[in-house]
């Protein structure tokens, strides 16, 4: 089962985040084999950390919750909230298999959040046709714990700007909200 975990930073938590960097990386090292993608998000053109994305293949929702809430930064209060959802790896690859490599072009996390259970039909389940597949790093639907209900769509991609990144979603009017965050490949330097 694949899961997307997005820890969103609490305001003014950067000093604590830096203090816990080695503990964070050591924790993530335990999940290296399960990682599909990982990396920090930024605001202000890449200058201000805003969160941390991890997409993993884990055995079940309980293991995913343990991953999200046992993370050292979460335990210490770095994050204000956590988005944790089942996810389906539509591309069938990891970020390390992305043809563009870790530094070629601007990168974004796009989260299209659905209206909620029973509030609408699933959209954007197939790979987008308006975006070159070679610009997609990770793409797939956000799902309920049982995998039966569509809750949104998440993508990591290379794009020239945030508006072009947002265009990965074919039906923006079908979402309750769409977030676009600057994103970078993560892991030890």
């Amino acid at each position: 089962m694949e899961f997307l975990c997005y820890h969103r930073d609490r305001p003014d938590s950067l000093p604590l985040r830096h203090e816990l960097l080695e503990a964070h990386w050591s924790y993530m090292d335990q999940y290296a084999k399960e990682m599909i993608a990982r990396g920090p998000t930024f605001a202000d053109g890449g200058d201000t950390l805003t969160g941390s994305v991890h997409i993993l293949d884990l055995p079940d929702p309980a293991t995913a919750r343990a991953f999200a809430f046992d993370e050292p930064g979460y335990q210490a209060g770095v994050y204000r909230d956590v988005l944790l959802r089942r996810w389906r790896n539509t591309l069938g690859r990891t970020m390390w298999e992305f043809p563009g490599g870790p530094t070629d072009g601007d990168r974004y996390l796009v989260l299209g959040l659905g209206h909620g259970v029973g509030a609408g039909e699933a959209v954007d389940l197939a790979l987008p046709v308006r975006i070159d597949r070679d610009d997609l790093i990770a793409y797939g639907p956000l799902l309920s714990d049982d995998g039966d209900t569509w809750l949104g769509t998440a993508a990591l991609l290379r794009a020239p700007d945030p508006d072009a990144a947002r265009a990965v979603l074919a039906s923006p009017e079908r979402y309750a909200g769409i977030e676009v965050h600057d994103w970078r490949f993560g892991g030890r330097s």
Side-chain angles (χ1 to χ4, degrees), residues 40-42 45-46 53 55 98 104-111 135-139 154-168 179-185:
T41 58
F42 297 87
V53 176
I55 302 175
F98 171 62
D104 179 29
D106 293 334
R107 312 303 172 84
Y108 298 93
L109 164 67
V110 177
L111 295 171
D135 286 330
L136 292 172
I137 300 163
Y139 184 88
L156 297 170
L157 69 147
R158 173 178 56 193
D161 57 57
D163 289 336
R166 182 182 303 271
V168 73
E179 301 175 13
V180 179
H181 305 270
D182 288 355
W183 174 80
R184 291 189 195 139
F185 274 49

Side-chain angles (χ1 to χ4, degrees), residues 132-148:
D132 187 330
R133 181 184 169 109
D134 285 346
D135 286 330
L136 292 172
I137 300 163
Y139 184 88
L142 298 169
L143 304 166
S144 59
D145 278 356
D146 63 10
D148 290 339

